[in-house]
Amino acid sequence: MGDSLRAGVELKITVRYFAALRDQRGLSHEILETQSLDPEHIYAELGALHGFTLSASQVRFAVNGQYVEPGYALAEGNELVFIPPVAGG
Amino acid sequence: MFQITDQPIVPPTPNCPTAGGFVTFEGRVRAMNEGRPVQFLEYEAFDEMAMAEGTALVEGAKLRFGLEWAQAIHRVGKLEIGEIAVWIGCGAAHRKEAFLACEFLIDELKHRLPIWKKEHYADGPSEWVNLRRESTGGQLTRSDVFARQIVMPEIGPAGQIALQNARVLVVGAGGLACSALPYLAAAGVGTIGIVEPDLLEPSNLHRQALYGFEGIGRSKARLAAEAIRRLHPFIQIEVFEERLCPDNAERIIAPFDIVVDGTDRFDAKFLMNDACQKFGKPLVQASIYRMEGYIQTILPGGPCLRCQWPTEPVDGCVSTCEEAGVLGVVPGLLGVMQAAEVIKIRLGIQDISSHSQVLVDLRDFATQKIVRTKRADCPSCQVPLRKLEPMKLAWEVSTEEVKQWTEQFICVDLRGETRSDSKIALGQLESIAAPLNLIDDLLELQKTKRLLLVCAKGRRSGMVVYRLLEKSATNVYSLRGGLEYKER
């Protein structure tokens, strides 16, 4: 995971799941201690663990109520939301 | 037999050897209506229902009066002065039955056909008149129907007119649209377009509560139009029984002011996004998934859907309602929120700086706002942000404008008594208190002299002027902001 990992650095963040991702995770939110430092890598980490069907490039990320880029540098205590595409009407 | 046509009516020549008396009636477009010069008329029919009603009436008249021959034709579309709007012919063995039947048919057709007439006046805005209302002598006005919202400070007469002049397109007539449409119509949105190619299926009914099981197999766009037309006569509906696609998107979207996304496909959502950016229209989007959904309004200039999703999601990458399932109240709730958003945009009470997406979860009623940001390299929304201007009305005037008036006028003080401050403020000598029969007396009075209605805040005077204009007053004004208004 290259740059997104810094040896010895661990973040505690809240992760929220929306729509299909909530179903695949089986949770609406959880508190995570992770060495991955951006949304993209945390998503990949969790995706491998829980079998998410969407790749990181198919999902959008919001931190503390604002859309951010996949490589956004997360800070301790951030709230990260995973938002999959939703089309139902 | 009964016919509806958009072509000029050519009176038929009856060929019926058993009838000795023929009576025909022609209803033509006249140049004046209630003292106002008419330029032309537009008739709009709710076709299926009008055909059924019209046919039943003609057949009923034949039986009732023992006619040998009967025919009625109603014209729709744009009609010039002098053109035939309706033609009726009755043939009976003797003249008496033919006369009676002809009169009966014109009265009943006017009374019962779901046909709307729009009068375009030479001296002001056009008006839709429901023929059924008009013929029964009913005096249903917009003020009657919308009174409870006109009274709101956020709406008032100006807001109601803004809604009346709005043209809102709803794309998709599914779960979201089924709750957005009736509230848009009920609020008085003047023109509503509905785009939907599909026919009603039994599996739609649990979430598309605008429809009934008897509509299964019928066009959803038409069923939706029929349902919202029942609400009140002040509505024009345009039905597009086609799927929004790149070939028709611009043609369909361009004539509307605001677009509501009620579709369940990514390709349609991105198509609407691009067309709305191109033509500078606000787009109110929502999508749902089982017990969750989101709503967001995309304004011209972005941030737009492509800022959010630089790579367009492909249909099929996530489950649809069909695959994932959906609780009916979820689109119901989000659709009502879309209607609210449209009304706010139109009234200028939307905070256009926020640009958020609102995630809604019906499990715990939690909502979460996520701020969207504009992408510098977005291909879709690179036009400057347009600010929505609040509506200005010709009949609302400021103190400064009043002082420029050269025409003599009477100041009507609606505060309950005539106080001297209205004279001082406006430099006006002739000032009266509100007459007893407010509307009727003022209608008479404005025929002789211009009236300026004043009150404390300009709301009551605005509403009274609005009512007067509905009753064809021409020389009435309201003091904007009222007598307590201080120029800032």
Side-chain angles (χ1 to χ4, degrees), chain A residues 16-20 22-23 53-54 57-60 62 65-67 69 79 81 83-89, chain B residues 175-176 263-264 266 269 287-290 292-293 308-309 317-318 321 357 361 363 368-373 375:
Chain A
R16 290 192 179 276
Y17 301 95
F18 184 62
R22 175 206 300 263
D23 290 343
T53 53
L54 294 164
S57 65
Q58 290 175 296
V59 173
R60 297 291 290 124
Q66 183 137 14
Y67 271 104
E69 293 300 317
E79 184 189 67
V81 189
I83 303 165
V86 177
Chain B
L176 293 163
T263 68
D264 58 359
F266 289 116
K269 289 175 190 292
S287 282
I288 50 169
Y289 179 86
R290 292 187 174 157
E292 292 161 83
Q308 216 171 341
W309 298 97
C317 77
V318 284
C321 291
Q357 178 181 35
D361 186 348
R363 291 175 188 86
Q368 184 163 19
K369 265 191 179 180
I370 295 180
V371 177
R372 300 178 293 122
T373 43
R375 205 172 276 271

Side-chain angles (χ1 to χ4, degrees), chain B residues 202-464:
Chain B
S203 63
N204 298 147
L205 292 172
H206 85 109
R207 68 186 183 285
Q208 299 175 16
L210 200 56
Y211 310 128
F213 65 88
E214 77 286 353
I216 289 168
R218 285 188 58 203
S219 150
K220 282 164 66 166
R222 283 183 166 269
L223 287 169
E226 188 178 332
I228 61 173
R229 188 161 268 158
R230 286 195 203 104
L231 287 165
H232 58 71
F234 309 112
I235 186 169
Q236 188 180 6
I237 302 169
E238 293 174 23
V239 169
F240 303 89
E241 290 173 277
E242 50 195 308
R243 191 174 301 285
L244 195 78
C245 65
D247 293 338
N248 62 19
E250 296 196 353
R251 164 175 63 82
I252 294 176
I253 289 173
F256 287 87
D257 304 326
I258 302 174
V259 180
V260 174
D261 168 16
T263 68
D264 58 359
R265 285 158 34 234
F266 289 116
D267 61 346
K269 289 175 190 292
F270 280 84
L271 192 57
M272 276 181 261
N273 177 76
D274 296 346
C276 286
Q277 287 302 323
K278 180 173 175 182
F279 294 114
K281 322 266 181 200
L283 170 64
V284 182
Q285 282 203 309
S287 282
I288 50 169
Y289 179 86
R290 292 187 174 157
M291 293 188 75
E292 292 161 83
Y294 77 80
I295 175 166
Q296 62 186 14
T297 294
I298 295 169
L299 293 172
C304 76
L305 195 60
R306 289 197 191 279
C307 296
Q308 216 171 341
W309 298 97
T311 315
E312 189 176 323
V314 183
D315 283 301
C317 77
V318 284
S319 315
T320 60
C321 291
E322 189 180 335
E323 296 149 6
V326 60
L327 190 68
V329 291
V330 180
L333 178 70
L334 272 292
V336 170
M337 291 170 81
Q338 285 180 294
E341 201 70 351
V342 168
I343 292 166
K344 286 190 297 177
I345 293 168
R346 189 63 193 171
L347 297 176
I349 48 180
Q350 206 234 7
D351 175 8
I352 63 164
S353 63
S354 60
H355 300 309
S356 342
Q357 178 181 35
V358 180
L359 311 181
V360 181
D361 186 348
L362 260 77
R363 291 175 188 86
D364 55 2
F365 286 159
T367 59
Q368 184 163 19
K369 265 191 179 180
I370 295 180
V371 177
R372 300 178 293 122
T373 43
K374 199 168 153 109
R375 205 172 276 271
D377 58 350
C378 176
S380 194
C381 62
Q382 292 312 311
V383 289
L385 181 62
R386 271 176 243 185
K387 204 173 159 94
L388 300 168
E389 290 294 330
M391 182 126 174
K392 279 216 174 95
L393 296 169
W395 43 266
E396 272 194 346
V397 290
S398 67
T399 311
E400 286 312 304
E401 287 168 290
V402 172
K403 285 177 180 164
Q404 308 285 318
W405 280 358
T406 48
E407 186 178 333
Q408 280 205 320
F409 66 97
I410 302 175
C411 183
V412 183
D413 196 324
L414 301 178
R415 292 173 302 172
E417 55 183 294
T418 306
R419 302 182 210 180
S420 56
D421 56 351
S422 64
K423 295 181 191 175
I424 297 160
L426 302 164
Q428 170 63 18
L429 293 178
E430 197 171 357
S431 183
I432 61 164
L436 206 57
N437 295 316
L438 189 65
I439 300 295
D440 292 343
D441 290 355
L442 293 180
L443 266 178
E444 279 308 305
L445 196 58
Q446 59 94 33
K447 289 178 184 163
T448 58
K449 218 173 226 184
R450 176 179 289 185
L451 303 183
L452 176 67
L453 276 65
V454 300
C455 65
K457 307 250 187 233
R459 275 177 51 206
R460 181 140 190 261
S461 58
M463 288 175 66
V464 173

